[in-house]
Structures are given as structure tokens and as C-alpha cells.
Amino acid sequence: MVFLRRTALLRYLLLSATLALLLFISSFWLPQGGFRDCGSAWQPCLNFYHLTPEPPLVPGEWAGPNGASPLIQECPGQSFQAWRLLLHLKSSLAGADDILLEPYLQSWDQLLNFMESLGTMVSLFSQKVKEKVDLIRELSLRHSIEAHGKRPLQTPASFGLKNGAYRSVRSMIEAELKAGVVNFSRRTDSGCRTLLRLHRSLLWLKLMLEGLAEGPDADGRFKTPGELCRDAYKVALAPHHPWVLRQAAEFVFLALPDRQYFLQLVCVKSQWEATPVLQVIIHALTLVHTQTQQILAEHNMLELP
């Protein structure tokens, strides 16, 4: 009788130990409070298992007009990445009254990827933009060489933009005005004049994206990308272009891909998904464009020849 009692007790203890072990193991896999206390004595976790989703690639302060901050993913297999563009745009805002040139030009690198993804016809615009981006980088490098007396070891794309005269829009304007390289009556290859041309092109892209973010008209029809680009071009660039270039632009707009292709560039499948993503991008472009506009206006540089 005593033996049977001992056997039952041992079985009970073994069963209890087994259940306790199973509960302990399951604690590694069950979500507990979003893993906020992960690693505590009562909530162990395995390092390779994470239930918490990846954080949004768009900071909260870059939310769109409705306050929402959409998740902008890495888009595999393409050169243009919306989250990288947003990162550079944010980095370019230096305080409340300046624009840092290195991240500003890096923003243009992404925008160039966007433009070049639209086909060879768009190279009419993208090539001109690339020349202007390269010129500002070359001017910053040239100024650094003159200031230091020797060619630096750093790459031309970054050196000269880290500090010194071409660190920001304001510092570049002040340095070029002091050096007398900015002319208000005739064309010069100054950084200020070049920046103004990029500034106008930024407005063109911003207006075009605003059109893509809009819904259909009263008849339920969406404007084509070609129509949106043409409308934006008439406002931002056409007033500053000769007749020949304006006529050439018309052919470019006719050759643009359809709206669905544009949506794929920001890694969405529908207009409903695209609108909040585009609104965040537009908001970022607006902040940078407004700040640049203010600085150029302060120095009467909005109409440099």
C-alpha cells in the first residue's frame, strides 16, 4: 500500500515537472505584452524571435496632412527608394533657416533615380539636372582645394560639403557674393545660379506628385502622368525655358508611362495606398522648397539669369 502511494506521488511529481517544463518552454514563443518586458525573469525571449514589427521608415514629424505616418518599405530591385529620399530631405533642414547642401544633393540623387526610371525620353530633363548637381559638388571641391592648397583624399561627392563655404545654402551664398562670382545681370556658373535651377525643378516634381496624390475628377477620371507633368511644367519651368525646349518637353510628356507604373515606384499597388505615401513625400519636398525659396528671396536671387 505504501509502495503504491509512493509510486503515485512520483508520477504526480513527474507530471508536474513535465507541465512546468512545457510552460517554461512555451514562454519563449508566446507574445507577452508586446515583449516590452522581454528578458525579465518571468518573460524570457529568444534573441532570434521578434514578434514586434519593424518601425515605420517615416518619422512621426513627417506625417501627412491627416496626421498619419505610413510605413514606407524598401522597394527591392529598383534604384529609387522613397524612404531614402525622405531621410535626405529631413537631414537637409538645418534648424529653422538654412539648408545643408550635402543631404540636399543626395535628395536629388534619389530624385534623379526616380526620373530616370521613367524612360529614356525623360533624360532630356534628368541629364540637365544631373549636370547641375555635379556642378555644385565640383564647385565645393574646387573651393576646398583652393582653401587647403592641395587636393583632398576624400571623394569629390562629399568633400567640401561637410564644412566650409559649401556646407549650406546660406554659407554658399555668402561666400560666392563675397568672391564676386554671382552676377545679377548675366549668366555665370555660380553655385547660387545652379541652385536656383534645381529649386525650380524641385517645384516641378512636387507639383507633379501632388497631382498623383489627388483622386479622380467629377467624372471619375484620373489625370494621366503626362497631363500632370505638363501642368506642373507650365507653372514651374516653362516660364524660364526657351520655345524650343518647351516644344521638346511636350514629346517627353506624351512618352511617360501610365499611373500604375508611378505607383509601383513608391511600392504601392493602388491609388488608395499611394495617397498617404505621396502626401508624406510632398510634405517633405514642400518644407525644403519653402526654406530654399525664403533664403534665395532674401538675397534677391529668384531671377538670376
Side-chain angles (χ1 to χ4, degrees):
M1 188 72 176
V2 175
F3 174 79
L4 292 175
R5 287 178 179 175
R6 288 179 177 176
T7 302
L9 179 60
L10 286 173
R11 288 177 178 175
Y12 174 78
L13 292 175
L14 180 61
L15 178 61
S16 298
T18 302
L19 288 173
L21 179 61
L22 288 173
L23 287 172
F24 176 75
I25 293 174
S26 67
S27 69
F28 284 93
W29 309 102
L30 295 175
Q32 303 171 16
F35 290 103
R36 285 174 296 180
D37 298 318
C38 181
S40 66
W42 300 103
Q43 292 181 295
C45 305
L46 294 180
N47 290 334
F48 56 81
Y49 183 78
H50 297 287
L51 196 64
T52 305
E54 290 296 320
L57 291 168
V58 182
E61 62 268 31
W62 290 83
N66 60 356
S69 182
L71 178 64
I72 299 183
Q73 305 273 8
E74 176 86 14
C75 217
Q78 67 180 43
S79 56
F80 172 71
Q81 299 292 338
W83 71 268
R84 285 192 184 130
L85 171 61
L86 287 167
L87 178 65
H88 296 319
L89 288 170
K90 181 182 179 182
S91 300
S92 71
L93 289 165
D97 64 348
D98 206 354
I99 296 290
L100 295 177
L101 278 174
E102 182 180 18
Y104 178 82
L105 296 179
Q106 289 172 333
S107 301
W108 268 112
D109 291 337
Q110 279 300 309
L111 290 170
L112 279 166
N113 289 340
F114 176 81
M115 295 170 69
E116 290 168 356
S117 299
L118 304 179
T120 55
M121 288 294 290
V122 184
S123 62
L124 173 72
F125 290 105
S126 62
Q127 184 57 37
K128 293 293 183 183
V129 170
K130 187 178 186 305
E131 289 172 2
K132 291 172 175 55
V133 171
D134 290 343
L135 178 57
I136 293 181
R137 284 176 168 146
E138 179 60 32
L139 289 171
S140 70
L141 177 63
R142 191 184 307 164
H143 187 277
S144 298
I145 293 173
E146 293 172 354
H148 295 86
K150 60 180 181 179
R151 190 176 186 87
L153 296 178
Q154 289 90 336
T155 59
S158 63
F159 192 85
L161 298 169
K162 300 290 187 183
N163 47 50
Y166 285 79
R167 177 180 177 273
S168 72
V169 172
R170 287 192 180 277
S171 64
M172 178 183 70
I173 289 175
E174 292 171 3
E176 291 196 340
L177 285 175
K178 184 178 180 180
V181 297
V182 182
N183 195 298
F184 290 84
S185 59
R186 62 180 177 83
R187 171 180 173 173
T188 59
D189 289 330
S190 66
C192 295
R193 179 190 181 276
T194 305
L195 176 70
L196 176 61
R197 270 61 187 173
L198 290 176
H199 178 65
R200 292 169 179 168
S201 295
L202 193 71
L203 177 61
W204 170 57
L205 288 170
K206 184 179 85 73
L207 293 175
M208 186 266 290
L209 292 176
E210 286 177 353
L212 280 175
E214 293 175 356
D217 58 21
D219 298 326
R221 175 183 175 275
F222 286 96
K223 282 190 174 182
T224 68
E227 292 171 327
L228 295 174
C229 281
R230 182 184 295 109
D231 293 344
Y233 177 78
K234 289 179 179 178
V235 173
L237 294 174
H240 311 287
H241 285 174
W243 180 86
V244 173
L245 188 54
R246 293 198 302 270
Q247 294 304 115
E250 290 294 325
F251 290 100
V252 173
F253 303 144
L254 289 173
L256 287 178
D258 60 19
R259 179 180 284 259
Q260 189 60 38
Y261 183 85
F262 277 78
L263 301 187
Q264 291 173 359
L265 289 178
V266 290
C267 257
V268 297
K269 297 179 180 179
S270 68
Q271 184 67 39
W272 181 81
E273 292 178 312
T275 295
V277 173
L278 290 172
Q279 285 176 339
V280 172
I281 297 173
I282 293 163
H283 177 60
L285 290 171
T286 300
L287 290 176
V288 173
H289 184 271
T290 301
Q291 188 65 268
T292 309
Q293 176 90 2
Q294 179 180 334
I295 299 171
L296 292 172
E298 287 176 14
H299 295 85
N300 298 316
M301 290 185 172
L302 291 175
E303 298 297 331
L304 285 177

